[in-house]
Amino acid sequence: MLTAAAVSAQNPIVQTCFTTDPAPMVDGDTFYIYTGHDENGADFFWMQEWRVYSSKDMVNWTDHGSPLAIEDFSWGDDRAWAPQCVARDGKYYFYVPLHSSLSGGMAIGVAVGDSPTGPFKDALGKPLFDDGSWDNIDPTVFIDDDGQAWIFWGNPVIRYAKLNRDMISIDGDVKTVVQTAEGFGAPGLKERKKDAKIGPDGDYKDCYTEGPWIMKRGKKYYLLYAAGGIPEHIAYSMADSPEGPWKYMGPVMPLQDTGSFTNHCGVADFKGKSYFAYHTGKLPGGGGFGRSVALEEFRYNPDGTFPTINMTEEGVSPVATLDPFKRVEAETMAYSKGVITEQNAKTGVYLSGIHNGDWIKLRNVDFGKGGAAEFKASAASALRGGVIEVRLDSVEGPVVATLPVKGTGGWEEWQTFSTRLSQKVSGVHDLYLLFSGRKGPRLFNLDWWEFKQ
Ligand code: FUB
């Protein structure tokens, strides 16, 4: 049964697979989120690849698949953990932690690409930093106003270094942030009181744990981080310089029922609004090792500090409309039920796993004044196909088109199917594509769709 809440939910922002450790990046008119990917049914962070999603309106997300995975690093063999991608001089630098077969510890790698969605290649053919320690996770990078790039990482220590202009080499020494009560609400792990309780009710409520996010706003530097041991919440510190001294500021996202014992955040501004990305275990079937990225909009306090940000199911509002008269990739969705995405060299990313009763939702679709008169879709089916029902404004809203999709002789034998709409559709609507057909088997795959006037 579809509940009203499920239909209006915007969080988690991806429903087709688990996504973790979000790192937002704004490039031109597009908001990108780089993520990890928890495996289905995992009992640890056995993560194999990183993924990229993008949106121009903050509610309809295009799945760009996985442009980078463990096998792209000859020296890496496990644990594709929390990434961040940063743009510089027309290139995109993708910083990742992964297990090093060279040292046996975790190491920081960097891949480079010509586009925010890749392809990405290991920039060095060796780790950017690898000293055999398990502390080397969760790299975060920012470029200061003077052009100096900085990288921070670590659990439970905070390491940091300057990056050279090439973004793929470290300038000088790797240093360690000295954790103090004044800086982080707690001293570093080794200096803490014996038997001290950490976490919200303990002695060290907001102690640094992992997942740093370094950023600058105005003249102030911010270091957000997963805090309080397990279960984690998000807290932050501020400074007047990237090298501190840091001032402990307290929680941003206090401990709450996220369904995940880790949390991991990233922050970015887009089209005049500020966004906080984090992860929860809230996707059905999810949990501590099945996490999903969520987004909240927030406003900084007048003095530049963070407000308290709580998780919501509703998520964020659209900041633009979606044009249905230009080909829309089927893997662009505001919400979905039942479907997954697949990716290969022939087709790129497409919508798959479509069964009777599944659907996808697009939000804030602008059919304009002239309106739409025809619906087209590129689909493929090795079996008997099915039907795409086009509805407006809710899964139970008016049906404006019914498009039969026939068997095409293969799951990637794409054919374009089209039908006239039963009525002209104009104005801004939420759009639902509902899939129906025989109960049980896969019906068809969907590559793209569009409307015609
Ligand atoms: O996703 C694996 C690990 O879990 C990340 O590196 C940490 O930040 C935590 O989210």
Side-chain angles (χ1 to χ4, degrees):
M1 274 273 282
L2 291 166
T3 61
V7 172
S8 64
Q10 202 67 51
N11 280 330
I13 63 166
V14 175
Q15 305 82 40
T16 47
C17 69
F18 294 122
T19 52
T20 74
D21 305 314
M25 181 189 81
V26 173
D27 194 47
D29 67 348
T30 307
F31 193 105
Y32 293 90
I33 297 190
Y34 297 80
T35 76
H37 174 199
D38 277 342
E39 294 290 310
N40 290 348
D43 59 357
F44 183 63
F45 305 121
W46 303 121
M47 299 152 75
Q48 302 296 305
E49 61 177 25
W50 297 274
R51 300 185 67 84
V52 187
Y53 298 84
S54 78
S55 180
K56 291 184 193 304
D57 55 29
M58 297 307 287
V59 290
N60 297 300
W61 292 93
T62 301
D63 183 343
H64 297 281
S66 170
L68 192 68
I70 290 173
E71 54 273 21
D72 295 315
F73 297 93
S74 59
W75 50 270
D77 58 8
D78 195 7
R79 300 178 199 211
W81 286 5
Q84 186 178 353
C85 187
V86 172
R88 179 159 223 179
D89 300 334
K91 298 258 186 227
Y92 298 85
Y93 297 92
F94 204 139
Y95 299 88
V96 297
L98 73 166
H99 185 259
S100 165
S101 59
L102 306 176
S103 70
M106 290 294 284
I108 306 295
V110 55
V112 63
D114 294 327
S115 125
T117 54
F120 293 93
K121 259 185 84 171
D122 182 359
L124 296 168
K126 60 179 185 180
L128 174 67
F129 187 80
D130 182 7
D131 64 356
S133 154
W134 287 90
D135 299 348
N136 299 321
I137 67 169
D138 300 353
T140 174
V141 170
F142 96 109
I143 302 170
D144 207 344
D145 301 329
D146 62 2
Q148 179 61 59
W150 295 85
I151 181 167
F152 285 65
W153 73 90
N155 167 352
V157 294
I158 312 169
R159 290 178 157 164
Y160 72 99
K162 284 182 180 171
L163 287 172
N164 286 312
R165 178 86 200 189
D166 65 10
M167 300 297 276
I168 59 170
S169 57
I170 287 174
D171 174 10
D173 293 334
V174 171
K175 300 183 185 168
T176 300
V177 176
V178 179
Q179 295 179 45
T180 59
E182 297 71 37
F184 297 90
L189 199 61
K190 286 187 190 139
E191 291 79 42
R192 289 181 200 158
K193 287 188 288 194
K194 251 190 162 184
D195 306 324
K197 240 186 114 210
I198 59 174
D201 305 323
D203 305 286
Y204 303 128
K205 295 195 294 225
D206 299 311
C207 59
Y208 176 87
T209 305
E210 59 180 355
W213 179 263
I214 180 80
M215 55 175 266
K216 188 180 190 188
R217 185 168 179 269
K219 290 197 157 72
K220 294 286 183 192
Y221 298 82
Y222 299 71
L223 189 63
L224 287 82
Y225 55 90
I230 301 285
E232 295 173 345
H233 62 284
I234 304 293
Y236 76 117
S237 304
M238 287 175 73
D240 293 324
S241 132
E243 298 200 78
W246 292 97
K247 182 170 178 239
Y248 163 53
M249 300 300 295
V252 178
M253 176 170 270
L255 194 61
Q256 49 207 277
D257 173 30
T258 61
S260 160
F261 61 86
T262 62
N263 202 343
H264 189 111
C265 77
V267 176
D269 285 356
F270 184 60
K271 298 192 174 170
K273 293 173 185 280
S274 299
Y275 295 95
F276 179 84
Y278 60 104
H279 69 216
T280 72
K282 290 290 180 188
L283 200 63
F289 301 119
R291 300 160 294 170
S292 291
V293 170
L295 265 182
E296 307 297 342
E297 189 192 322
F298 72 95
R299 273 189 199 187
Y300 289 94
N301 294 323
D303 63 359
T305 57
F306 271 86
T308 299
I309 302 172
N310 289 311
M311 54 174 269
T312 70
E313 200 177 23
E314 293 73 28
V316 307
S317 303
V319 294
T321 53
L322 185 130
D323 181 356
F325 299 110
K326 284 194 192 129
R327 169 179 158 148
V328 179
E329 295 302 317
E331 62 274 16
T332 299
M333 290 162 265
Y335 216 80
S336 66
K337 179 192 161 265
V339 297
I340 58 169
T341 60
E342 287 194 76
Q343 172 186 18
N344 62 31
K346 182 183 168 199
T347 310
V349 182
Y350 57 92
L351 199 64
S352 177
I354 296 174
H355 294 82
N356 180 54
D358 293 346
W359 50 262
I360 64 171
K361 172 188 181 181
L362 286 300
R363 245 182 110 179
N364 223 31
V365 179
D366 189 357
F367 291 94
K369 285 202 183 106
E374 186 187 352
F375 175 68
K376 289 171 95 166
S378 172
S381 177
L383 292 171
R384 296 172 192 84
V387 171
I388 304 175
E389 212 173 56
V390 181
R391 289 181 183 252
L392 298 182
D393 300 321
S394 92
V395 268
E396 282 134 17
V399 180
V400 295
T402 304
L403 178 66
V405 172
K406 297 205 173 73
T408 61
W411 292 112
E412 284 187 79
E413 295 301 318
W414 302 102
Q415 280 182 31
T416 303
F417 300 89
S418 68
T419 186
R420 305 289 299 171
L421 301 197
S422 57
Q423 62 193 75
K424 219 151 190 207
V425 175
S426 55
V428 176
H429 294 273
D430 288 349
L431 176 75
Y432 287 78
L433 304 184
L434 276 70
F435 309 118
S436 59
R438 297 209 184 172
K439 293 184 182 135
R442 273 174 76 184
L443 302 178
F444 50 86
N445 291 334
L446 195 61
D447 191 19
W448 56 262
W449 56 267
E450 66 183 348
F451 285 83
K452 293 278 171 206
Q453 280 168 342

